[in-house]
Each structure stands twice: as structure tokens, then as C-alpha cells.
Amino acid sequence: MRQLPLAAHIRETTGKGPARKLRENNQLPAIFYGPGTESIMLTVDYPELTRITKQGKGENIILDLQIKSDHGEETRKAMLKDLMVDPVSGAYLHADFYEISMDKEITVDMPVTILNTPIGVTEEGGFLQHIRRNITVSCLPDSLIDSLDIDVSEMNIGDTVHIRDIEFPEGLTCLEEGHLTVVVVSAPGGGIEEEEEELEEGVEEETADSEEETAEESKEEKKGGEQ
């Protein structure tokens, strides 16, 4: 995994007003924290952070965070833990950087990338369902990759890829159950029909139970009236 440099400056002001002014000047308010590390308020260059986030898949990017202050500059290893985004404009509002150690394992949600088109889709008229788009793994930062790539070109209708079927690169440990489905090629309308059948069966069972309960209640009421 590449380690990308990002300059940051210590920030003294807080609040909505100062944060708005920073963003107007192409600066983004941020915070740096981690285990055994006091939180440090920062500002980073908005265009530079945007450029970095577009280079990787997801947010699993290791940064050399170059923190500058009146006392000089120090570089800390960090990952982008959270990025607050305006729901309307899509603009970044705030960034959280989490300190990491290169000799300690981290836990991340690894994106799953599907490669090629299944035979079951191109020749059999089925459709591909990408069920699980992220898989939680643990690894040392040096073993981090952009994504888990799955070649689905040989899949036919009815074929399924579970987590246990994936060959994880050396250094990555999967933290999820092996039986979980990642990708499946379904017959045309199969998934929808099965879902509707299950729903109908559930409604019928609930109706039958309700009718039985009503009948029992009527019997009890009749007995009470006769008494």
C-alpha cells in the first residue's frame, strides 16, 4: 500500500464560523487522534485531500501526515478514519485522522471488486447479485491492499461465491464468517419470486395463527356466557 504525504497545520480556533472561513479559503478543519495520543486540531489543504481520496478505493489510505506548528514539523502515520460530507453539495466538511503504528495490526473494511461478466449472465440470461461489497479484515499496514478482486467470468446460474471461497492475500486475516455470500448468479426473476413466496408463506402462517387464536377466544367467551 502506498503511503501518501499530506501537509497539515495545527489549528487554534473552533466553531462553525472559523470552520466556514477555512473552507472558503480551500482549507478543511480536521482532527488527529489515536491510542495514547492527545487529540490535535488541524487544518489540511482541501484540494490536496480531494486528490488523495480519489487515488484509492475507499478510505483505506495510509498517510504520512506532516504536522506543522510553531515548533517545527513532525510526520505521523495515519489513516483517514472519517470524512464528513455535506449531504446536499457533496463537499467535505471535516476530516478525522487516526494514528497507526506500522508494527501493529489494524482492522479495516476491505472493498470487494467484481471482475468480468459471468457466463450465466452473457449466455444464460441470469443476473449478477453483488451481495457483500466490503469484508472486514485485519492486517499490518504494509499488507493493506486497495481491494479484494473476484473474477466471476466462469460463474453459471446458481453459482455462489462465499467468503470461504476467496483466497485472501498473504498477511490479510478475514474477520467474518465463511458461509456469508459475496456474489451469486441468479436465474431471471428467481430471487424476486423466492422472496415473494416466502412473504406469502409468512402471511398465510400469521393468518392461520390469528384465526386459531380467534376461535379459541370465541370458545372461551361462549363458555363464559353459558356459565
Side-chain angles (χ1 to χ4, degrees):
M1 173 62 71
R2 293 169 298 168
Q3 298 171 34
L4 304 175
L6 177 64
H9 294 82
I10 290 181
R11 170 169 56 101
E12 302 293 343
T13 58
T14 61
K16 293 183 179 179
R20 189 181 300 110
K21 288 182 179 179
L22 285 172
R23 288 189 287 269
E24 288 173 354
N25 291 307
N26 267 338
Q27 297 295 305
L28 186 70
I31 189 169
F32 173 77
Y33 62 96
T37 300
E38 288 189 13
S39 298
I40 304 174
M41 295 186 300
L42 302 172
T43 62
V44 297
D45 185 71
Y46 191 108
E48 181 64 13
L49 181 62
T50 300
R51 184 187 65 80
I52 287 174
T53 55
K54 288 181 177 179
Q55 288 187 41
K57 298 177 181 179
E59 297 177 355
N60 298 327
I61 302 169
I62 297 177
L63 299 169
D64 282 326
L65 200 60
Q66 301 165 347
I67 302 175
K68 300 176 181 180
S69 68
D70 294 337
H71 305 292
E73 178 183 317
E74 62 174 332
T75 300
R76 309 280 281 271
K77 297 289 184 184
M79 293 186 69
L80 183 60
K81 189 71 172 178
D82 188 39
L83 190 59
M84 187 183 298
V85 180
D86 186 290
V88 178
S89 67
Y92 297 156
L93 300 176
H94 189 277
D96 288 11
F97 298 104
Y98 184 78
E99 184 172 31
I100 62 171
S101 174
M102 298 303 289
D103 59 0
K104 292 183 180 179
E105 288 198 347
I106 55 177
T107 299
V108 298
D109 289 331
M110 184 68 62
V112 176
T113 300
I114 301 302
L115 303 179
N116 303 314
T117 304
I119 295 174
V121 173
T122 58
E123 299 181 10
E124 301 171 0
F127 64 95
L128 179 70
Q129 292 180 292
H130 191 174
I131 307 298
R132 191 165 294 270
R133 297 182 180 274
N134 292 281
I135 297 176
T136 305
V137 302
S138 67
C139 63
L140 290 173
D142 277 341
S143 298
L144 200 61
I145 58 176
D146 286 334
S147 68
L148 291 166
D149 297 336
I150 300 178
D151 184 355
V152 299
S153 57
E154 299 300 318
M155 292 181 68
N156 296 294
I157 287 179
D159 288 348
T160 302
V161 175
H162 299 94
I163 286 180
R164 62 172 171 263
D165 302 319
I166 299 174
E167 185 176 345
F168 288 86
E170 185 177 353
L172 263 65
T173 301
C174 179
L175 300 181
E176 300 198 47
E177 298 293 332
H179 69 273
L180 295 175
T181 300
V182 181
V183 182
V184 61
V185 178
S186 301
I192 297 173
E193 289 174 4
E194 290 173 4
E195 190 174 307
E196 289 178 346
E197 287 175 5
E198 290 177 2
L199 182 58
E200 288 175 2
E201 289 175 2
V203 170
E204 288 174 0
E205 290 176 1
E206 288 180 6
T207 302
D209 292 341
S210 178
E211 288 174 351
E212 289 179 6
E213 289 176 3
T214 302
E216 290 295 328
E217 289 174 0
S218 297
K219 288 179 182 178
E220 294 296 327
E221 289 176 2
K222 188 175 181 180
K223 287 180 181 179
E226 291 174 350
Q227 293 175 355

